[in-house]
Amino acid sequence: MKFEKRFPSEHGEETGLAGALSELGRRDQRSTPEQVHLRLLDEFREMQEARQGSTVFHARRWNPRWAGVAAALLLCGVAGWLLFHSQSNTGVRTASADGQSIPAVQVAAGSEHMPIGEGHTARTAQTAKPLIAARPAARNLTGHRLQKLAKTHRGHVTVPAALRNSLALVRKGWIPLPYSNPMLPLKDAAVVPVQLSATALGALGVHLSPGMTAASQRGAVYNAELLIGADNFARAIHFDSPKSDSHTQEQGL
Amino acid sequence: MPPTLVFKLASPSGCVPDSAGPRADDPQAEASHSAPVDSSLAQAPAPGEVELATRLRQGEEAAFTEIYRAHHAPLYRFALQMGAPNGLAEELVHDVFVELMRSPQGFRPGRGSLRSYLFGVARHRLVDQWRRGRREVSWEEPGTLAGEPPSPDNVSEELSRRQELAQLSRALAALPWEYREVVVLCDLQEMPYQEAARILRCRTGTIASRRHRAHKLLQERLQRNRRGKES
């Protein structure tokens, strides 16, 4: 009413237009084709059947949020396990399996036949640089087993660098020492001739045969060559021949 | 074969972040972008709708058919009047009812009528189509303007009336989206402002002002057409 008073001409036009528009709407009798309804009915039935068939599944439907949380927890667990596993394999070892300190021999390069005794220049693990332990499989291999293993798996497997270095040493007549770092390249190593007692050899991880042990009890020392790695730790040993204490004394050492 | 005109749809206001933003000539359009729907707009559902919805949730096919029979034609016409071609309009009706049968709990009787819910879904789908790049859709002239068959006495009157209505529908098709949807809902579908406001998610005042402006635009276009014909 107010609108009509304010805009009389417009009001008349507006009413006519509104009438025309509603007539347009009333005359428009278009309708959805019947096949849409039929298709919808088919889908409705299928949906109902599916719902009835999986009532339990729908009742306990997976919540995507919880599935995501579970997946994240699983990933964390796997990552933690892998981290722990890698640390146990390549982590720093400060003690040997029997709880004793790890023997480490440091020899000044260039010195000739330097006698190394127990507690002389050997450092305990607490004072030594952290040693990266060899892989258990490579650490426990003797030279013969290493060669056999290399022969068996030649061309079939990719030999890791540590094992490859150890094999190269064995081929040249060296005995790889345990607790050394087999990953270091051999080209940086230096050969140092030394005289070692049986006790010192045991500290290096070299166990003598019973006959040699008996000889060592008489104070025998052994001429050997130590291969010193780039980290200044002994990597491998090469024996010449056993010498008696008297022989050493004769040489004035 | 009815003649086919091609026109561009304007950005549907209040739902599509158009680069042009709200129209400068519509001060209320900006307000309607962020305007929440009035809680007072919640229209009571028609009697029996609550029961129908309950039966539909229980999986009763008869309830679904009843709802379909009541609403499919207005929805189809709404899509066509908004500029969708026949195929798209059928697809739209299909999608709306699939949505209803998949999640009947989406319709909450406390928040409005079933019709406003279905129209809201339909409008949302139309806007989606617009977003997907179907900005140019063909407008098919309503060649099936039904009505009483003209008697021999008023044939010429009926024909001129039909011509006028065809002109009106063409002018309607050229309106910007936000005005056209208001005219379609309030004038062609004869919905109250409150229900239209609920579907378009804006205030009742916005609907009233848009409708008024749309009528003005329509009148201007019709007058321009008349002048062009006379000249």
Side-chain angles (χ1 to χ4, degrees):
Chain A
M1 193 66 174
K2 284 178 188 171
F3 184 81
E4 189 180 353
K5 277 181 185 171
R6 281 166 61 193
F7 309 103
S9 59
E10 276 188 16
H11 177 70
E13 285 180 12
E14 176 118 357
T15 314
L17 182 66
L21 282 169
S22 51
E23 187 184 346
L24 185 66
R26 278 196 304 274
R27 283 189 177 217
D28 190 354
Q29 296 294 321
R30 291 172 289 184
S31 179
T32 324
E34 187 57 25
Q35 66 255 28
V36 176
H37 185 213
L38 296 175
R39 209 171 82 191
L40 279 167
L41 279 180
D42 284 345
E43 287 179 26
F44 184 82
R45 284 168 198 147
E46 279 175 19
M47 206 174 286
Q48 291 308 318
E49 281 170 16
R51 273 186 190 162
Q52 284 168 3
S54 61
T55 314
V56 179
F57 177 75
H58 279 285
R60 299 187 177 188
R61 186 182 289 172
W62 274 54
N63 189 340
R65 195 181 299 164
W66 287 114
V69 170
L73 283 174
L74 187 68
L75 274 175
C76 284
V78 169
W81 183 83
L82 283 174
L83 193 66
F84 175 76
H85 189 68
S86 63
Q87 274 184 352
S88 66
N89 268 348
T90 61
V92 175
R93 293 287 178 88
T94 55
S96 60
D98 55 356
Q100 291 176 347
S101 61
I102 297 171
V105 177
Q106 190 171 24
V107 181
S111 64
E112 285 194 359
H113 290 89
M114 178 183 289
I116 299 175
E118 191 178 15
H120 185 62
T121 53
R123 299 195 303 178
T124 58
Q126 282 78 16
T127 58
K129 289 181 186 175
L131 297 176
I132 298 174
R135 287 167 185 267
R139 196 176 57 204
N140 297 328
L141 288 175
T142 60
H144 175 69
R145 286 173 64 195
L146 275 173
Q147 279 181 333
K148 192 175 174 186
L149 186 73
K151 200 177 283 182
T152 311
H153 295 289
R154 186 177 296 158
H156 297 289
V157 293
T158 308
V159 183
L163 189 56
R164 203 165 47 236
N165 287 342
S166 301
L167 282 171
L169 284 174
V170 169
R171 282 190 194 124
K172 289 174 184 173
W174 291 85
I175 300 169
L177 291 174
Y179 315 117
S180 61
N181 183 2
M183 298 294 289
L184 290 173
L186 288 172
K187 63 177 182 180
D188 298 328
V191 178
V192 178
V194 290
Q195 287 183 331
L196 294 170
S197 65
T199 319
L201 282 171
L204 282 172
V206 179
H207 300 286
L208 302 177
S209 62
M212 291 175 79
T213 309
S216 71
Q217 283 172 355
R218 295 194 298 271
V221 290
Y222 298 93
N223 283 336
E225 285 177 329
L226 279 178
L227 188 72
I228 309 299
D231 56 352
N232 285 342
F233 285 95
R235 291 192 58 179
I237 191 167
H238 172 69
F239 286 102
D240 291 339
S241 60
K243 283 182 180 177
S244 66
D245 232 355
S246 56
H247 179 69
T248 310
Q249 283 168 357
E250 280 170 11
Q251 287 187 343
L253 293 174
Chain B
M1 187 72 177
T4 300
L5 303 175
V6 174
F7 69 97
K8 280 192 176 184
L9 295 182
S11 163
S13 71
C15 47
V16 176
D18 196 25
S19 56
R23 293 179 154 265
D25 60 349
D26 186 5
Q28 296 206 19
E30 190 174 0
S32 70
H33 267 264
S34 56
V37 180
D38 287 350
S39 57
S40 61
L41 295 184
Q43 239 191 352
E49 274 189 357
V50 179
E51 189 201 344
L52 263 180
T54 313
R55 282 166 54 201
L56 181 65
R57 274 186 209 130
Q58 290 165 354
E60 200 177 309
E61 189 180 310
F64 178 75
T65 304
E66 201 173 326
I67 293 172
Y68 180 82
R69 297 268 180 229
H71 297 287
H72 75 96
L75 283 169
Y76 183 68
R77 284 197 289 271
F78 169 68
L80 291 173
Q81 287 158 356
M82 285 308 295
N86 280 331
L88 184 60
E90 286 171 23
E91 193 184 317
L92 183 101
V93 172
H94 174 265
D95 287 354
V96 168
F97 282 99
V98 165
E99 174 79 24
L100 180 69
M101 70 169 82
R102 274 194 188 146
S103 53
Q105 67 275 7
F107 164 58
R108 295 177 199 165
R111 294 181 65 183
S113 65
L114 182 59
R115 180 170 75 159
S116 61
Y117 168 72
L118 293 174
F119 269 81
V121 176
R123 191 235 177 197
H124 188 72
R125 299 270 164 164
L126 270 176
V127 171
D128 265 2
Q129 294 293 335
W130 187 88
R131 274 182 184 161
R132 283 180 202 168
R134 295 189 188 179
R135 300 187 181 203
E136 279 189 17
V137 295
S138 63
W139 171 268
E140 291 175 12
E141 271 194 44
T144 55
L145 280 177
E148 293 295 317
S151 61
D153 301 335
N154 59 358
V155 170
S156 60
E157 192 184 330
E158 174 64 21
L159 283 177
S160 65
R161 184 65 182 159
R162 285 192 180 194
Q163 277 183 349
E164 281 175 12
L165 290 178
Q167 275 185 357
L168 183 60
S169 67
R170 252 178 257 136
L172 179 63
L175 276 183
W177 176 285
E178 67 262 31
Y179 296 142
R180 188 162 11 125
E181 61 186 3
V182 170
V183 171
V184 165
L185 289 177
C186 296
D187 290 307
L188 302 185
Q189 301 276 347
E190 297 182 328
M191 281 185 193
Y193 282 178
Q194 282 189 345
E195 196 172 359
R198 170 149 188 75
I199 293 166
L200 303 182
R201 301 191 68 78
C202 56
R203 294 185 187 280
T204 318
T206 309
I207 298 290
S209 70
R210 277 190 196 169
R211 182 171 175 247
H212 178 65
R213 195 171 288 275
H215 281 197
K216 262 192 162 183
L217 281 172
L218 279 175
Q219 280 168 357
E220 283 170 14
R221 281 175 203 272
L222 290 172
Q223 280 174 0
R224 215 181 301 147
N225 285 347
R226 268 180 227 141
R227 271 185 228 131
K229 275 188 180 176
E230 283 168 8
S231 64

